Amino acid sequence: MGRLGLGGHFGGLAAQLDGVFGADGVFAHDRLRFVDFVDDLEDLLEEVAWQEGGDKKAADGFEEYMLRHYSG
């Protein structure tokens, strides 16, 4: 993200994601519901879109897409 010039937007992202994925990189369902994770991630993407001069609606559909394709 830093190479794309977006690193400043993700300074706190690592802290937010701490504990969401296990050491093996697999999502830790026992620590956070996937639905909540996707909802929070969509909020973050909306904020980035707004900060980049775009529209928060640029991230619309992300949550629905993720849940439809990756939710068990």
Side-chain angles (χ1 to χ4, degrees):
M1 297 309 266
R3 287 184 284 168
L4 295 173
L6 300 172
H9 299 296
F10 297 98
L13 183 59
Q16 292 174 359
L17 295 178
D18 188 35
V20 175
F21 295 92
D24 58 359
V26 175
F27 183 79
H29 293 276
D30 60 329
R31 296 183 199 148
L32 179 68
R33 292 182 333 148
F34 186 71
V35 174
D36 294 333
F37 170 71
V38 171
D39 183 48
D40 291 345
L41 191 54
E42 182 179 53
D43 292 344
L44 175 67
L45 291 172
E46 288 173 349
E47 183 65 24
V48 169
W50 181 77
Q51 289 177 4
E52 289 297 310
D55 186 351
K56 284 187 173 187
K57 295 189 183 289
D60 278 356
F62 172 80
E63 182 176 4
E64 182 181 331
Y65 174 85
M66 293 296 290
L67 294 176
R68 191 176 24 194
H69 286 87
Y70 298 106
S71 181

